[in-house]
Amino acid sequence: EYTRLPEEPVYIVKQNCNDYMRVEKELHLMFSEKRNRGGSCEWFTLDEEDIKVALDYIEKHKAS
């Protein structure tokens, strides 16, 4: 699905995950309150603690 970018993204991590679709869905649920454009957007505004939580979650599900 094509998602319009509000600006050029900054990538913090790029990781191959087992069941990446589930990982993405879970991250979307975890941070649903932080969606941009009133919750109708694919993009999120995360603080440093949110990013740590996301990185920890991704680390637990990375592909071996």
Side-chain angles (χ1 to χ4, degrees):
E1 172 177 306
Y2 175 76
T3 303
R4 244 181 356 167
L5 301 175
E7 58 188 52
E8 194 61 33
V10 175
Y11 293 96
I12 295 170
V13 64
K14 182 177 179 180
Q15 180 67 55
N16 290 327
C17 293
N18 293 318
D19 197 4
Y20 72 90
M21 292 177 77
R22 183 178 67 104
V23 170
E24 181 181 12
K25 182 178 181 177
E26 289 296 320
L27 289 169
H28 280 215
L29 288 172
M30 276 188 234
F31 300 113
S32 62
E33 298 288 319
K34 300 201 173 206
R35 283 183 181 270
N36 291 342
R37 297 188 199 137
S40 65
C41 178
E42 179 78 8
W43 298 94
F44 302 79
T45 300
L46 304 178
D47 60 27
E48 288 185 34
E49 183 60 30
D50 296 328
I51 292 168
K52 182 183 179 323
V53 168
L55 291 174
D56 288 346
Y57 185 80
I58 291 166
E59 180 67 23
K60 290 177 187 172
H61 294 87
K62 71 180 181 180
S64 39

XYZ file of all heavy atoms in Angstrom:
541
model
N 0.844 -1.178 0.000
C 0.000 0.000 0.000
C 0.880 1.229 0.000
O 1.858 1.316 0.719
C -0.877 -0.041 1.252
C -1.652 1.217 1.455
C -2.548 1.083 2.676
O -3.323 0.132 2.731
O -2.438 1.943 3.544
N 0.550 2.188 -0.802
C 1.297 3.431 -0.876
C 0.867 4.342 0.261
O -0.304 4.555 0.502
C 1.036 4.122 -2.211
C 1.685 5.475 -2.298
C 3.038 5.595 -2.500
C 0.920 6.622 -2.137
C 3.626 6.842 -2.549
C 1.504 7.867 -2.194
C 2.857 7.971 -2.402
O 3.442 9.201 -2.456
N 1.841 4.841 0.993
C 1.564 5.762 2.091
C 2.302 7.054 1.824
O 3.513 7.052 1.671
C 2.051 5.169 3.435
O 1.418 3.913 3.620
C 1.700 6.076 4.586
N 1.567 8.135 1.749
C 2.176 9.433 1.511
C 3.052 9.828 2.686
O 2.648 9.746 3.836
C 1.088 10.494 1.356
C 1.048 11.123 0.036
C -0.012 12.163 -0.060
N -0.835 12.260 1.143
C -1.653 13.240 1.388
N -1.786 14.209 0.544
N -2.371 13.269 2.482
N 4.246 10.280 2.394
C 5.158 10.707 3.444
C 4.962 12.184 3.740
O 5.010 13.006 2.831
C 6.617 10.480 3.011
C 7.014 9.053 2.669
C 8.446 9.026 2.152
C 6.889 8.170 3.874
N 4.775 12.541 5.003
C 4.654 13.955 5.341
C 5.996 14.672 5.217
O 6.053 15.876 5.016
C 4.163 13.936 6.787
C 4.599 12.624 7.319
C 4.625 11.676 6.148
N 7.074 13.926 5.357
C 8.429 14.433 5.199
C 9.339 13.231 5.019
O 8.911 12.087 5.157
C 8.858 15.246 6.421
C 8.798 14.472 7.707
C 9.027 15.344 8.927
O 8.352 16.379 9.061
O 9.897 14.988 9.723
N 10.599 13.463 4.699
C 11.540 12.366 4.516
C 11.748 11.649 5.861
O 12.068 12.285 6.857
C 12.878 12.911 4.004
C 13.800 11.849 3.460
C 13.230 11.083 2.276
O 12.476 11.674 1.483
O 13.526 9.888 2.162
N 11.545 10.334 5.922
C 11.669 9.625 7.201
C 13.113 9.484 7.646
O 14.032 9.484 6.839
C 11.068 8.251 6.905
C 11.289 8.058 5.452
C 11.187 9.428 4.840
N 13.287 9.366 8.952
C 14.579 9.050 9.540
C 14.471 7.624 10.049
O 13.594 7.319 10.855
C 14.900 10.006 10.713
C 16.185 9.590 11.397
C 14.968 11.442 10.239
N 15.326 6.754 9.557
C 15.283 5.359 9.972
C 16.205 5.144 11.165
O 17.381 5.489 11.120
C 15.701 4.433 8.827
C 14.723 4.441 7.700
C 14.922 5.250 6.592
C 13.587 3.656 7.765
C 14.006 5.270 5.561
C 12.657 3.669 6.732
C 12.888 4.476 5.632
O 11.987 4.487 4.613
N 15.662 4.586 12.219
C 16.432 4.304 13.412
C 16.902 2.855 13.381
O 17.998 2.544 13.793
C 15.587 4.581 14.673
C 15.286 6.068 14.727
C 16.271 4.096 15.921
C 14.273 6.459 15.756
N 16.069 1.999 12.863
C 16.407 0.575 12.807
C 15.716 -0.034 11.586
O 14.623 0.361 11.209
C 15.975 -0.164 14.098
C 14.476 -0.135 14.270
C 16.470 -1.590 14.107
N 16.400 -0.961 10.992
C 15.810 -1.757 9.920
C 16.173 -3.194 10.269
O 17.350 -3.533 10.328
C 16.385 -1.355 8.561
C 15.774 -2.116 7.423
C 16.323 -1.614 6.107
C 15.732 -2.404 4.969
N 16.249 -1.948 3.675
N 15.159 -4.006 10.565
C 15.412 -5.345 11.086
C 14.476 -6.346 10.427
O 13.283 -6.082 10.309
C 15.161 -5.352 12.600
C 15.372 -6.663 13.272
C 16.831 -7.081 13.254
O 17.679 -6.329 13.694
N 17.118 -8.237 12.718
N 15.018 -7.464 9.995
C 14.181 -8.564 9.526
C 13.582 -9.247 10.748
O 14.296 -9.571 11.691
C 14.997 -9.569 8.724
C 15.437 -9.011 7.398
O 14.743 -8.212 6.785
N 16.605 -9.422 6.952
N 12.268 -9.421 10.724
C 11.569 -10.031 11.855
C 10.814 -11.266 11.411
O 10.342 -11.341 10.275
C 10.547 -9.049 12.444
S 11.273 -7.610 13.213
N 10.704 -12.213 12.336
C 9.802 -13.338 12.112
C 8.382 -12.780 12.184
O 8.092 -11.960 13.049
C 9.994 -14.404 13.198
C 11.354 -15.063 13.111
O 11.829 -15.381 12.026
N 11.991 -15.231 14.252
N 7.545 -13.192 11.272
C 6.145 -12.748 11.243
C 6.053 -11.219 11.314
O 5.396 -10.645 12.176
C 5.352 -13.397 12.368
C 3.844 -13.319 12.145
O 3.412 -12.816 11.075
O 3.092 -13.738 13.036
N 6.750 -10.573 10.376
C 6.832 -9.111 10.375
C 5.476 -8.429 10.324
O 5.312 -7.342 10.882
C 7.732 -8.621 9.231
C 7.113 -8.786 7.862
C 6.343 -7.775 7.311
C 7.294 -9.956 7.144
C 5.755 -7.933 6.067
C 6.727 -10.116 5.901
C 5.954 -9.102 5.359
O 5.382 -9.254 4.133
N 4.498 -9.052 9.710
C 3.169 -8.425 9.634
C 2.550 -8.323 11.033
O 1.944 -7.318 11.379
C 2.262 -9.186 8.677
C 2.724 -9.063 7.231
S 1.723 -10.029 6.089
C 0.287 -8.982 5.986
N 2.735 -9.351 11.840
C 2.228 -9.328 13.214
C 2.991 -8.297 14.050
O 2.398 -7.559 14.841
C 2.343 -10.699 13.865
C 1.756 -10.735 15.274
C 1.861 -12.133 15.865
N 3.244 -12.490 16.080
C 3.840 -12.491 17.277
N 3.161 -12.178 18.352
N 5.095 -12.828 17.401
N 4.313 -8.232 13.870
C 5.133 -7.262 14.605
C 4.673 -5.843 14.272
O 4.474 -5.012 15.163
C 6.634 -7.458 14.299
C 7.467 -6.320 14.866
C 7.115 -8.802 14.845
N 4.485 -5.555 12.993
C 4.023 -4.222 12.598
C 2.650 -3.916 13.197
O 2.416 -2.830 13.742
C 3.956 -4.086 11.082
C 3.503 -2.709 10.660
C 3.387 -2.528 9.155
O 3.428 -3.521 8.409
O 3.250 -1.370 8.737
N 1.742 -4.889 13.137
C 0.401 -4.695 13.692
C 0.467 -4.398 15.194
O -0.213 -3.493 15.686
C -0.456 -5.931 13.431
C -1.868 -5.805 13.915
C -2.677 -7.058 13.579
C -4.099 -6.900 14.064
N -4.931 -8.043 13.708
N 1.290 -5.154 15.917
C 1.430 -4.949 17.357
C 2.011 -3.569 17.666
O 1.561 -2.896 18.597
C 2.300 -6.037 17.977
C 1.634 -7.395 18.023
C 0.404 -7.413 18.920
O 0.419 -6.791 19.992
O -0.576 -8.084 18.541
N 3.005 -3.144 16.910
C 3.579 -1.808 17.115
C 2.536 -0.726 16.844
O 2.445 0.254 17.578
C 4.811 -1.611 16.230
C 6.042 -2.414 16.655
C 7.111 -2.361 15.569
C 6.595 -1.932 17.983
N 1.736 -0.917 15.811
C 0.666 0.048 15.526
C -0.316 0.127 16.691
O -0.759 1.213 17.058
C -0.068 -0.341 14.245
C 0.652 0.063 13.007
N -0.013 0.477 11.877
C 1.960 0.135 12.708
C 0.872 0.777 10.942
N 2.074 0.569 11.427
N -0.651 -1.024 17.263
C -1.563 -1.039 18.415
C -0.926 -0.378 19.636
O -1.578 0.391 20.341
C -1.972 -2.475 18.750
C -2.935 -3.134 17.767
C -3.100 -4.614 18.112
C -4.276 -2.432 17.760
N 0.347 -0.689 19.887
C 1.054 -0.119 21.041
C 1.065 1.408 21.015
O 0.950 2.050 22.050
C 2.512 -0.588 21.059
C 2.738 -1.904 21.689
S 4.536 -2.154 21.811
C 4.676 -3.703 20.995
N 1.214 1.966 19.814
C 1.396 3.406 19.689
C 0.207 4.095 19.013
O 0.324 5.218 18.528
C 2.686 3.696 18.927
C 3.896 3.146 19.620
C 4.628 2.109 19.071
C 4.284 3.639 20.856
C 5.735 1.590 19.717
C 5.392 3.121 21.526
C 6.116 2.100 20.949
N -0.949 3.454 19.029
C -2.116 4.009 18.331
C -2.481 5.412 18.807
O -2.954 6.235 18.019
C -3.314 3.072 18.453
O -3.685 2.928 19.811
N -2.244 5.695 20.071
C -2.562 7.030 20.618
C -1.606 8.108 20.101
O -1.854 9.290 20.301
C -2.480 6.990 22.148
C -3.465 6.045 22.788
C -4.887 6.557 22.713
O -5.086 7.765 22.915
O -5.788 5.734 22.451
N -0.528 7.699 19.445
C 0.491 8.647 18.998
C 0.505 8.820 17.486
O 1.459 9.341 16.922
C 1.859 8.200 19.504
C 1.861 8.140 21.027
C 3.215 8.206 21.576
C 3.096 8.325 23.101
N 4.229 8.968 23.669
N -0.576 8.392 16.840
C -0.672 8.576 15.384
C -0.796 10.056 15.036
O -1.428 10.817 15.754
C -1.897 7.850 14.822
C -1.721 6.376 14.702
C -2.976 5.776 14.064
N -2.871 4.349 13.949
C -2.362 3.726 12.891
N -1.941 4.409 11.849
N -2.301 2.417 12.866
N -0.196 10.416 13.928
C -0.300 11.791 13.432
C -1.652 12.013 12.757
O -2.385 11.062 12.489
C 0.820 12.088 12.442
C 2.177 12.139 13.110
O 2.291 12.279 14.322
N 3.223 12.014 12.325
N -1.958 13.265 12.493
C -3.188 13.675 11.802
C -4.444 13.147 12.488
O -5.346 12.613 11.852
C -3.178 13.241 10.343
C -2.097 13.871 9.521
C -2.289 13.542 8.052
N -1.037 13.771 7.357
C -0.526 12.968 6.448
N -1.160 11.877 6.078
N 0.618 13.249 5.868
N -4.463 13.239 13.798
C -5.661 12.837 14.536
C -5.964 11.356 14.484
O -7.111 10.951 14.633
N -4.950 10.539 14.255
C -5.141 9.094 14.260
C -5.470 8.493 12.912
O -5.677 7.299 12.806
N -5.494 9.298 11.869
C -5.878 8.781 10.554
C -4.679 8.595 9.634
O -4.834 8.603 8.420
C -6.875 9.742 9.906
O -6.242 10.998 9.659
N -3.517 8.421 10.211
C -2.294 8.407 9.423
C -1.439 7.204 9.779
O -1.530 6.667 10.882
C -1.538 9.714 9.709
S 0.030 9.873 8.877
N -0.593 6.798 8.885
C 0.347 5.696 9.072
C 1.557 6.128 9.896
O 2.347 5.292 10.319
C 0.799 5.215 7.683
C 1.789 4.103 7.652
C 1.188 2.722 7.900
O -0.036 2.604 7.951
O 1.963 1.777 8.053
N 1.709 7.391 10.146
C 2.891 7.933 10.815
C 2.589 8.273 12.265
O 1.466 8.607 12.619
C 3.399 9.159 10.058
C 3.814 8.760 8.687
C 3.055 8.809 7.556
C 5.051 8.166 8.310
N 3.751 8.298 6.504
C 4.981 7.899 6.930
C 6.208 7.843 9.006
C 6.038 7.316 6.238
C 7.257 7.268 8.309
C 7.163 7.009 6.941
N 3.635 8.193 13.101
C 3.514 8.375 14.542
C 4.536 9.402 15.032
O 5.599 9.545 14.448
C 3.795 7.051 15.271
C 2.895 5.927 14.865
C 3.113 5.219 13.687
C 1.820 5.571 15.652
C 2.289 4.181 13.308
C 0.982 4.524 15.284
C 1.211 3.840 14.109
N 4.211 10.070 16.125
C 5.173 10.929 16.805
C 5.553 10.236 18.104
O 4.728 10.119 19.014
C 4.580 12.322 17.089
O 4.217 12.929 15.846
C 5.585 13.206 17.804
N 6.788 9.738 18.156
C 7.250 8.953 19.296
C 8.348 9.697 20.038
O 9.179 10.359 19.421
C 7.790 7.602 18.820
C 6.842 6.740 17.996
C 7.543 5.463 17.555
C 5.568 6.426 18.760
N 8.366 9.551 21.369
C 9.444 10.131 22.152
C 10.523 9.053 22.370
O 10.390 7.917 21.904
C 8.932 10.712 23.469
C 8.264 9.689 24.375
O 8.596 8.480 24.297
O 7.409 10.096 25.176
N 11.573 9.413 23.074
C 12.696 8.486 23.270
C 12.279 7.202 23.981
O 12.738 6.111 23.638
C 13.822 9.175 24.033
C 14.550 10.205 23.195
C 15.744 10.808 23.918
O 16.403 10.093 24.701
O 16.002 11.996 23.690
N 11.398 7.300 24.959
C 10.939 6.099 25.674
C 10.133 5.195 24.745
O 10.273 3.970 24.777
C 10.122 6.486 26.903
C 9.685 5.299 27.737
C 10.824 4.450 28.294
O 11.914 4.990 28.549
O 10.615 3.232 28.452
N 9.287 5.783 23.900
C 8.516 4.996 22.928
C 9.451 4.237 21.991
O 9.223 3.066 21.677
C 7.614 5.901 22.085
C 6.553 6.614 22.879
O 6.068 6.056 23.877
O 6.209 7.745 22.486
N 10.479 4.911 21.546
C 11.431 4.291 20.615
C 12.150 3.138 21.304
O 12.337 2.070 20.714
C 12.409 5.340 20.058
C 11.627 6.304 19.151
C 13.559 4.675 19.314
C 12.385 7.541 18.756
N 12.505 3.307 22.571
C 13.141 2.224 23.319
C 12.202 1.025 23.418
O 12.617 -0.117 23.203
C 13.545 2.698 24.709
C 14.263 1.636 25.520
C 14.581 2.112 26.917
C 15.272 1.086 27.770
N 14.891 -0.285 27.640
N 10.945 1.267 23.718
C 9.954 0.191 23.797
C 9.848 -0.524 22.446
O 9.842 -1.763 22.384
C 8.577 0.747 24.237
C 7.468 -0.286 24.050
C 8.638 1.219 25.686
N 9.781 0.236 21.368
C 9.673 -0.351 20.030
C 10.911 -1.178 19.689
O 10.800 -2.300 19.182
C 9.462 0.744 18.991
N 12.093 -0.641 19.976
C 13.329 -1.369 19.681
C 13.421 -2.656 20.494
O 13.845 -3.694 19.970
C 14.541 -0.474 19.944
C 14.727 0.695 18.986
C 15.870 1.581 19.449
C 14.943 0.220 17.560
N 13.012 -2.608 21.753
C 13.011 -3.822 22.585
C 12.058 -4.866 22.014
O 12.376 -6.052 21.961
C 12.621 -3.493 24.028
C 13.704 -2.736 24.791
O 14.864 -2.685 24.310
O 13.383 -2.183 25.861
N 10.892 -4.426 21.594
C 9.910 -5.341 21.016
C 10.450 -5.968 19.727
O 10.362 -7.182 19.518
C 8.600 -4.602 20.739
C 7.513 -5.513 20.255
C 6.781 -6.285 21.142
C 7.235 -5.629 18.899
C 5.795 -7.142 20.694
C 6.257 -6.485 18.446
C 5.539 -7.243 19.343
O 4.579 -8.106 18.890
N 11.023 -5.140 18.878
C 11.585 -5.636 17.612
C 12.715 -6.631 17.885
O 12.800 -7.666 17.228
C 12.070 -4.458 16.736
C 10.848 -3.658 16.242
C 12.905 -4.941 15.569
C 11.203 -2.301 15.665
N 13.575 -6.321 18.838
C 14.693 -7.206 19.177
C 14.190 -8.595 19.576
O 14.775 -9.603 19.196
C 15.515 -6.593 20.315
C 16.694 -7.416 20.750
C 17.803 -7.548 19.714
O 17.906 -6.676 18.821
O 18.540 -8.541 19.793
N 13.089 -8.654 20.295
C 12.529 -9.938 20.729
C 11.960 -10.748 19.574
O 11.763 -11.955 19.698
C 11.426 -9.706 21.773
C 11.939 -9.210 23.080
C 10.805 -8.921 24.032
C 11.336 -8.253 25.296
N 10.247 -7.784 26.145
N 11.672 -10.094 18.453
C 11.020 -10.772 17.328
C 11.878 -10.806 16.063
O 11.383 -11.132 14.989
C 9.683 -10.086 17.024
C 8.703 -10.245 18.145
N 8.661 -9.382 19.212
C 7.782 -11.186 18.392
C 7.738 -9.773 20.053
N 7.196 -10.868 19.586
N 13.172 -10.465 16.191
C 14.004 -10.443 15.004
C 14.220 -11.854 14.459
O 14.181 -12.837 15.212
C 15.331 -9.750 15.266
C 16.301 -10.507 16.137
C 17.580 -9.696 16.319
C 18.570 -10.453 17.172
N 19.785 -9.684 17.347
N 14.422 -11.924 13.159
C 14.638 -13.210 12.505
C 16.013 -13.745 12.884
O 16.963 -12.989 13.037
C 14.539 -13.042 10.994
N 16.076 -15.039 13.058
C 17.365 -15.642 13.423
C 18.092 -16.182 12.221
O 17.644 -16.242 11.158
C 17.166 -16.733 14.452
O 16.033 -17.494 14.215
